[in-house]
Amino acid sequence: MKKTLLFSLFCLITIQVAIAQSLESPNGELEMQFSIKEDGTPVYSLTYKGKEVIKPSKLGLELKDEEDLLSGFSISETEESTFDQTWEPVWGEQKEIRNHYNQLKVHLVQDNTDRELTMNFRLFNEGLGFRYEFPEQENLTYFIIEEERTQFAMTGDHTAFWIPGDYDSQEYDYTESRLSEINEKFDAAVTPNASQEQFSKTGVQTSLMMKTEDDIYINLHEAALVEYSLMNLNLDEDNMIFESWLTPDAIGNKGYLQTPAVSPWRTIMVSDDATDILASSMNLNLNEPNKLEDTSWIKPVKYIGVWWEMITGKSSWAYTDELASVKLGETDYSKTEPNGKHAANTEHVKEYIDFAAEHGFDAVLVEGWNEGWEDWFGQSKDYVFDFVTPYPDFDVEEIHNYAKSKGVKMIMHHETSGAIRNYERHLDTAYQFMNKYDYPAVKSGYVGDIIPRGEHHYGQWAINHYLYAVKKAADYKIMVNAHEAVRPTGLRRTYPNLIGNESARGTEFQAFGGSKPNHVTILPFTRLIGGPMDYTPGIFEMDISKLNPENDSKVNSTIANQLALYVTMYSPLQMAADLPENYMKFPDAFQFIKDVALDWDKSIYLEAEPGDYITVARKEKGSSNWFVGNVNGNDARTSRIDFDFLDKGKKYIATIYSDAPAAHYRMNPQAYEIKKYRVDNRSKLSQLSAPGGGFAISIKEVEDSEGKDLKKL
């Protein structure tokens, strides 16, 4: 009897070991539990400092026309390892990035089909990344995903900062609400866009930022989105469980895979300090290392452009108003009357080049330079642009020579109007054209519904295209800034010529009725988790009617807030988006845009609360200069900043660009002050930020004898 009991206990322990695994983060604060339920369903959970943050959540995939990969699994083998390495990005927020995690690979076998599936878990100090891995095998070679069924079971009705789940657009203002309120607030959160399709009134997009009742911050996203569909999340309101919801193709399928294959990483970041979410490099670390052998041609860029005047309606992309229909190669523009509003003309572009040269900008972007803009949108038109034929008033050769003489580069613009097939047919020719005329970077656009018809911006087919365009650009040593494409997931580590994306509600929407004043206090917690954004900041004239009397939009920001964005909204590609004449009205404030760096040795997030405020200090790469930015939300607030990030024993002069006491994003947006102080690493600052305001600080090292007449903080 005793032997039988001991044998039974031994078997029970053996079974428990076989179906339950745990993994700790390097610092021991996070613990992931993995187990197999009685029906063979894989399940994981996550705790932070002993508190449950993800309740037991199911894993698996529903397949089309064959048995699903949802249940019936057993563990065949497990592998544990630790990885700790430091690497240097080509550009970024830090000179060096530590990649430190503990890994658990769980090899599963579906007993009745003999199909294999591996769950790969990597636990970092700031969060968990996991993915599905499909080994090459006889019983699973080609398969179609009907739906991925990854769950994220919440522990309560958290506060969330969300945008509607959509297959085509992320250009929404964020809504702050309880999870239980998403359904009732969904319709109000959906605003018109050139291409959009929602799937559920409880659907939201990632990166999703949340805060629990006990002040724990949780962020859900994905990393390394390659050859797969984008993941939205759909909420089961009754049980507070998010489940993955992939973007379908034109016939409703959600992914075509061939083994060996992997899914993107599903990521969960957790901390009781919001600044840890912003400072995390986990998303980057889950991507493959740089695949480009030569990166010497990849350079951060500060630029101006012929753009804002069209966005506001002051000027036009189109050359003429006489054409309702354009056929490239057939329409004769020499027989049309110019509309007098076409901004991309040789003389006007030269004015921008002169301004760039005078004020130290690297490049000038020009939109509307090429034939086809009279008939570019809304007609499901395939052959919409050829990317090489200029309008009659845009002399490519003359502009190239003039820019070269001034030491200024030109940035190309490729609007595709969603016609991806057309773009791919012309891609080599378009990139060769750029090489010929010395365009080092391209801003690509995907406005409107995708062609082939029925495909979505975030489906597997389009996602494959975006990466194809980036890889092809690397062959021609061209940097890519893709607008209306999929939001980034850290691929800039692997392909560092992907120097920017829009893929969110950018500054242009300030001219389309405005964005919420606290929008920029949320974006770094959401959209920027996966990579930098070409937000196009630097607007000084907030009343759009002064540019275009027919547009009564207001930019919901102060000038000081606009300056701070160059620090808080990290990007190696930064635009001074306003018109040159508006900068000349405020030359002292414009000085900060001219001075601020683009590439950094170190970034320190000093304080942050999603929806309310963010303050960050960054050290310029290869320099002793620092820059600080603060963006503020809806209510006035005072920041208290320690300068202990400065080097001990060194002296600096800090130039502070701040909201004036009466500043307000709506009533008094152009009220600002500029003050200078002597500072060192013992200095402290109390600084008021207005509603929709902020402050920016330029800190430069000086000799002891300099700045003696300045007050010391």
Side-chain angles (χ1 to χ4, degrees), residues 506-568:
T507 296
E508 62 188 357
F509 281 85
Q510 298 282 21
F512 303 158
S515 296
K516 294 177 182 179
N518 71 339
H519 184 57
V520 293
T521 68
I522 300 172
L523 280 173
F525 286 101
T526 52
R527 160 61 184 78
L528 271 72
I529 292 297
M533 179 178 176
D534 184 30
Y535 186 72
T536 62
I539 305 302
F540 281 11
E541 180 50 72
M542 311 304 176
D543 184 354
I544 303 303
S545 68
K546 292 184 178 179
L547 283 71
N548 175 12
E550 297 180 4
N551 187 341
D552 61 0
S553 298
K554 299 290 192 300
V555 178
N556 292 321
S557 167
T558 66
I559 283 181
N561 177 282
Q562 289 291 307
L563 298 181
L565 292 172
Y566 290 92
V567 186
T568 62

Side-chain angles (χ1 to χ4, degrees), residues 254-274:
K254 297 197 170 184
Y256 301 82
L257 272 65
Q258 176 187 357
T259 59
V262 297
S263 75
W265 296 92
R266 280 59 187 100
T267 64
I268 308 166
M269 288 196 287
V270 184
S271 181
D272 52 15
D273 185 342

Side-chain angles (χ1 to χ4, degrees), residues 322-590:
E322 293 183 348
L323 299 174
S325 173
V326 172
K327 288 192 173 182
L328 299 179
E330 298 179 28
T331 300
D332 187 352
Y333 280 92
S334 69
K335 295 179 180 179
T336 63
E337 181 71 24
N339 59 22
K341 300 180 297 181
H342 181 233
N345 64 78
T346 301
E347 293 309 312
H348 191 47
V349 171
K350 283 183 176 181
E351 293 171 358
Y352 273 82
I353 293 171
D354 288 340
F355 186 84
E358 180 181 354
H359 296 283
F361 287 87
D362 302 306
V364 175
L365 165 73
V366 181
E367 295 195 9
W369 67 276
N370 54 322
E371 290 184 355
W373 284 93
E374 294 77 11
D375 178 28
W376 75 281
F377 174 75
Q379 303 302 324
S380 193
K381 183 178 181 180
D382 188 39
Y383 188 29
V384 59
F385 295 114
D386 69 6
F387 312 102
V388 295
T389 305
Y391 278 125
D393 61 348
F394 187 86
D395 189 324
V396 176
E397 190 77 40
E398 184 175 346
I399 287 170
H400 163 65
N401 291 332
Y402 191 78
K404 185 177 180 181
S405 73
K406 296 286 185 174
V408 173
K409 297 288 187 180
M410 301 300 296
I411 295 178
M412 177 54 72
H413 182 231
H414 288 165
E415 177 53 59
T416 70
S417 194
I420 288 177
R421 293 191 315 165
N422 178 60
Y423 192 34
E424 290 192 352
R425 286 195 295 267
H426 290 86
L427 206 51
D428 281 291
T429 302
Y431 286 161
Q432 289 163 9
F433 182 89
M434 289 179 61
N435 282 171
K436 179 179 179 180
Y437 292 105
D438 197 23
Y439 286 79
V442 60
K443 174 184 176 181
S444 55
Y446 297 88
V447 176
D449 293 337
I450 295 295
I451 301 175
R453 298 168 185 88
E455 293 292 337
H456 293 288
H457 285 76
Y458 306 150
Q460 184 183 28
W461 192 87
I463 285 167
N464 289 348
H465 160 76
Y466 303 137
L467 187 54
Y468 172 79
V470 170
K471 291 179 179 179
K472 178 68 71 172
D475 292 341
Y476 291 93
K477 297 188 176 180
I478 288 171
M479 299 179 286
V480 176
N481 169 28
H483 283 226
E484 295 88 32
V486 67
R487 81 285 192 268
T489 57
L491 284 172
R492 64 184 175 98
R493 180 187 181 189
T494 313
Y495 302 99
N497 65 316
L498 179 59
I499 59 167
N501 286 96
E502 183 191 38
S503 309
R505 189 181 181 94
T507 296
E508 62 188 357
F509 281 85
Q510 298 282 21
F512 303 158
S515 296
K516 294 177 182 179
N518 71 339
H519 184 57
V520 293
T521 68
I522 300 172
L523 280 173
F525 286 101
T526 52
R527 160 61 184 78
L528 271 72
I529 292 297
M533 179 178 176
D534 184 30
Y535 186 72
T536 62
I539 305 302
F540 281 11
E541 180 50 72
M542 311 304 176
D543 184 354
I544 303 303
S545 68
K546 292 184 178 179
L547 283 71
N548 175 12
E550 297 180 4
N551 187 341
D552 61 0
S553 298
K554 299 290 192 300
V555 178
N556 292 321
S557 167
T558 66
I559 283 181
N561 177 282
Q562 289 291 307
L563 298 181
L565 292 172
Y566 290 92
V567 186
T568 62
M569 296 280 287
Y570 169 67
S571 176
L573 183 74
Q574 291 283 17
M575 184 182 195
D578 211 338
L579 307 188
E581 53 264 38
N582 288 334
Y583 290 129
M584 291 302 89
K585 296 175 185 176
F586 307 96
D588 52 353
F590 184 50

Side-chain angles (χ1 to χ4, degrees), residues 202-246:
T202 53
V204 297
Q205 299 193 47
T206 71
S207 172
L208 177 67
M209 187 68 191
M210 293 174 285
K211 185 178 181 181
T212 70
E213 284 281 7
D214 50 354
D215 296 331
I216 293 176
Y217 301 89
I218 302 172
N219 186 285
L220 304 181
H221 195 29
E222 62 181 328
L225 174 56
V226 178
E227 296 183 357
Y228 206 86
S229 295
L230 174 143
M231 179 183 72
N232 285 282
L233 300 171
N234 196 34
L235 178 66
D236 172 354
E237 299 173 280
D238 295 331
N239 298 297
M240 291 297 158
I241 297 174
F242 281 110
E243 188 168 272
S244 55
W245 186 292
L246 302 183

Side-chain angles (χ1 to χ4, degrees), residues 1 10 17 66 73 88 102 116 249 391 396 475 504 542 631 664 711:
M1 179 71 179
F10 175 77
V17 170
E66 58 183 302
F73 287 101
E88 292 191 12
N102 291 329
E116 300 173 9
D249 68 3
Y391 278 125
V396 176
D475 292 341
M542 311 304 176
V631 288
H664 187 281
K711 180 180 177 182

